[in-house]
Amino acid sequence: MIVQRTIRLSDHIKVDGANVLFFIAYGCLVCVLYLTFAIEFLVFPISEINVLGIAVAILLGFRNNEAYNRYWEARMAWGDLTNASRNFAAQITGYVQPPQKQEQASSDVTGIHSELIYRHLAFLNALRLQLRQEVSWEELTPFLSDQEFQALSKAANKATLLNQWQSRRLQELYRSGWIERQAYIFGLMESIKAFFAAQGVCERIKTTPLPRQYGLFTKAFLWIFVLLLPLGLVQQLGWVTLPISVILSTIFTVTEHIGSRTEEPFSREPEDVAMSSICRNIEIDLRQQLGESSIPTPLEVKDGVLM
């Protein structure tokens, strides 16, 4: 997620510099052919270009709006995970207690609380890694036992399996008398349901891209417009066509580029949802709820980007 208020010129050049150079070269070519060699068939009616420009602007607006909706839905899903995770930790520490008339060492109670909360942290990080299609799962080792980590390595959907393990463990505790019936059914299992629901939203966004025809035809019409633009301006503006066409073409292509990068919120790009930071913030909150003294620090912004 880009958090700096301004975009540095160097960043813009890296992303759109090739297009700007092309627009300059193409604009110069059109001006030279028309103004120097008087090749008049290059002229194109400006009125038709205006109509095409309006159509392209409408398409860009629609596509970018849908791309932002995808990004915002993804961010809301992770916001729901944050809220549900805090509530889940409060439920664990409040509802999961030794059965009445049964003496239990405080270390055993703390161990069960830590086991459940750490497994949930593993679920969050597994979901993040899956969405970004990471290949290394070593980040999960601090949250799982060696046996669980080895068993998890064979799973196709690791986040789902972790949530399933969590559900089974809660059932064991309920049957052993560690959790009251109401707290188990209407509290903890509702939290598990919320985790599955948020995971489903994220997976739907990841596996269902914005219909490709929108991106394909929008980009095609956009490039037709920017290629015709100098041909419509050169007769009226002469050499002034060059800066005007470069500026207008860059505005349109940058707008299209913003939409194309925003529509994939889980692709490990600077425009992504800051899932790494969200997972770290949840870990901080939950470990504080456990009463731990050794708490990790929030992730820092690097080069204006928070991952």
Side-chain angles (χ1 to χ4, degrees), residues 106-124:
S106 59
S107 60
D108 294 338
V109 178
T110 302
I112 291 176
H113 292 173
S114 298
E115 172 200 341
L116 294 169
I117 289 178
Y118 271 54
R119 187 179 293 115
H120 177 64
L121 292 174
F123 157 75
L124 293 172

Side-chain angles (χ1 to χ4, degrees), residues 22-230:
F22 171 78
F23 297 144
I24 293 174
Y26 180 68
C28 286
L29 177 63
V30 170
C31 290
V32 168
L33 291 178
Y34 180 79
L35 298 174
T36 303
F37 297 100
I39 303 179
E40 297 187 0
F41 73 86
L42 291 175
V43 176
F44 198 87
I46 191 63
S47 57
E48 281 77 358
I49 296 178
N50 289 336
V51 174
L52 178 59
I54 293 173
V56 170
I58 293 173
L59 285 173
L60 283 175
F62 171 78
R63 181 171 179 272
N64 284 15
N65 183 66
E66 292 303 309
Y68 181 77
N69 286 341
R70 286 169 56 83
Y71 170 85
W72 188 242
E73 186 179 12
R75 182 61 186 86
M76 288 180 64
W78 276 90
D80 292 341
L81 280 171
T82 300
N83 297 334
S85 297
R86 292 166 177 161
N87 182 56
F88 181 67
Q91 290 174 336
I92 292 297
T93 55
Y95 293 160
V96 181
Q97 299 297 333
Q100 294 181 355
K101 299 181 181 180
Q102 179 178 331
E103 294 184 2
Q104 197 78 26
S106 59
S107 60
D108 294 338
V109 178
T110 302
I112 291 176
H113 292 173
S114 298
E115 172 200 341
L116 294 169
I117 289 178
Y118 271 54
R119 187 179 293 115
H120 177 64
L121 292 174
F123 157 75
L124 293 172
N125 284 278
L127 179 59
R128 167 178 61 85
L129 294 172
Q130 285 179 189
L131 293 173
R132 287 180 172 166
Q133 297 179 327
E134 300 280 357
V135 295
S136 176
W137 297 91
E138 299 303 319
E139 293 183 49
L140 304 184
T141 53
F143 306 117
L144 299 172
S145 65
D146 292 339
Q147 182 180 0
E148 284 183 323
F149 183 76
Q150 293 300 325
L152 189 68
S153 63
K154 303 175 184 178
N157 191 318
K158 295 176 174 57
T160 297
L161 182 59
L162 284 165
N163 230 7
Q164 180 65 20
W165 287 348
Q166 193 80 295
S167 178
R168 290 177 181 173
R169 180 59 171 145
L170 290 172
Q171 185 182 55
E172 292 175 0
L173 293 169
Y174 164 64
R175 290 177 175 176
S176 301
W178 280 74
I179 308 173
E180 297 292 335
R181 176 181 174 83
Q182 293 285 70
Y184 172 70
I185 296 176
F186 300 108
L188 292 163
M189 293 310 296
E190 285 298 314
S191 294
I192 296 294
K193 179 181 177 181
F195 300 147
F196 274 126
Q199 178 186 350
V201 171
C202 293
E203 290 175 342
R204 170 172 53 79
I205 295 172
K206 180 67 176 180
T207 59
T208 309
L210 192 68
R212 294 307 184 194
Q213 57 268 32
Y214 290 126
L216 175 63
F217 287 107
T218 299
K219 180 172 285 189
F221 296 152
L222 166 66
W223 278 94
I224 291 173
F225 169 73
V226 299
L227 291 175
L228 291 177
L229 184 60

